Amino acid sequence: MKIRLAPSRALLAAGCALSLIIGFPGWSHAAATPPPPSVSLDVKMQETTAGKTASTSKKSKTSSSLTAGNSTRSAIYTITVHNDGSTPISGLTIAYTIYTKTLKTTPKSSGATTYKDTTDSSSTDIPANSSTDVKTKAVTTEYVQAFNKNGVLTSTTTEDLVGIHIEAKLNDAVLATYEDPLNIKATMDARKAASEKGDGKGSSDSTDN
């Protein structure tokens, strides 16, 4: 004689609940969020210098001896962007800020240093496991000596590079940064904030090219 045991309703309910929690094989689950792309940056700077003739009066007999003291320098940074992952990256934004400073002196005054930042960005696509180069716009600085018509030095203007800050961004998420020197952005931001708080004008000008 066979005895058939009917499962209780409580046992059936517990089994259904457990099945919903564990899930049956073959059921689809929400895909896990993929990790962000792996990006790294290498940066090189190339600077060229060219002589520049001083602007002096035609009456000056010493103008020919003043050319050596004046020059322009043009700096271009090459940013090599590496896609270190196995997935292509589309629409990667390379944003950079180049900082410069200017000091103007006269025989009677040491002058004050002013700061300027030039910002720009570009978008690029990088295949998987490959690299691409992004060049910044040229930033020109000068060393200029001004003379009066008698050939007497009246002022010296010196412009120099201070540093660069670079960010590689994808959909506003920063994937990689590069600074030379370290903490240049924080230093310049703090300098600008302190200057604006002190006189309401600030000693740092921003230029977006």
Side-chain angles (χ1 to χ4, degrees), residues 16 21 38-39 59 67 70 75 86 98 106 108 110 124 143-144 166 177 179 194 199:
C16 291
I21 295 173
S38 179
V39 174
K59 296 180 181 180
T67 57
N70 297 263
S86 58
I98 301 175
T106 67
K108 295 182 180 181
S110 59
T124 185
Y143 175 79
V144 178
I166 306 168
T177 60
E179 283 192 326
D199 59 16

Side-chain angles (χ1 to χ4, degrees), residues 98 100 114-118 192 201-207:
I98 301 175
T100 58
T114 58
Y115 294 86
K116 178 181 177 181
D117 54 83
T118 301
K192 184 174 183 178
K201 297 180 181 179
S203 62
S204 178
D205 300 322
S206 297
T207 302

Side-chain angles (χ1 to χ4, degrees), residues 35-184:
S38 179
V39 174
S40 56
L41 304 172
D42 290 324
V43 181
K44 294 181 180 179
M45 190 268 283
Q46 181 179 8
E47 191 175 37
T48 57
T49 303
K52 180 179 179 181
T53 303
S55 177
T56 59
S57 169
K58 293 182 180 179
K59 296 180 181 180
S60 173
K61 297 180 180 181
T62 58
S63 60
S64 60
S65 66
L66 305 178
T67 57
N70 297 263
S71 63
T72 58
R73 296 182 299 278
S74 180
I76 295 178
Y77 290 86
T78 300
I79 307 167
T80 302
V81 189
H82 304 281
N83 178 0
D84 303 316
S86 58
T87 303
I89 302 176
S90 178
L92 184 71
T93 298
I94 306 300
Y96 63 86
T97 302
I98 301 175
Y99 301 95
T100 58
K101 65 179 180 180
T102 302
L103 174 63
K104 185 174 182 179
T105 61
T106 67
K108 295 182 180 181
S109 172
S110 59
T113 301
T114 58
Y115 294 86
K116 178 181 177 181
D117 54 83
T118 301
T119 64
D120 201 2
S121 64
S122 62
S123 181
T124 185
D125 299 333
I126 314 176
N129 298 305
S130 63
S131 304
T132 188
D133 287 345
V134 176
K135 291 184 180 295
T136 69
K137 292 183 177 180
V139 174
T140 301
T141 57
E142 291 185 324
Y143 175 79
V144 178
Q145 291 180 314
F147 301 82
N148 63 20
K149 63 180 181 181
N150 296 319
V152 177
L153 179 67
T154 58
S155 67
T156 300
T157 301
T158 304
E159 291 182 313
D160 285 313
L161 288 170
V162 178
I164 187 170
H165 174 87
I166 306 168
E167 293 182 349
K169 300 189 293 185
L170 186 65
N171 299 326
D172 294 329
V174 178
L175 303 183
T177 60
Y178 174 93
E179 283 192 326
D180 182 26
L182 290 175
N183 300 319
I184 181 63

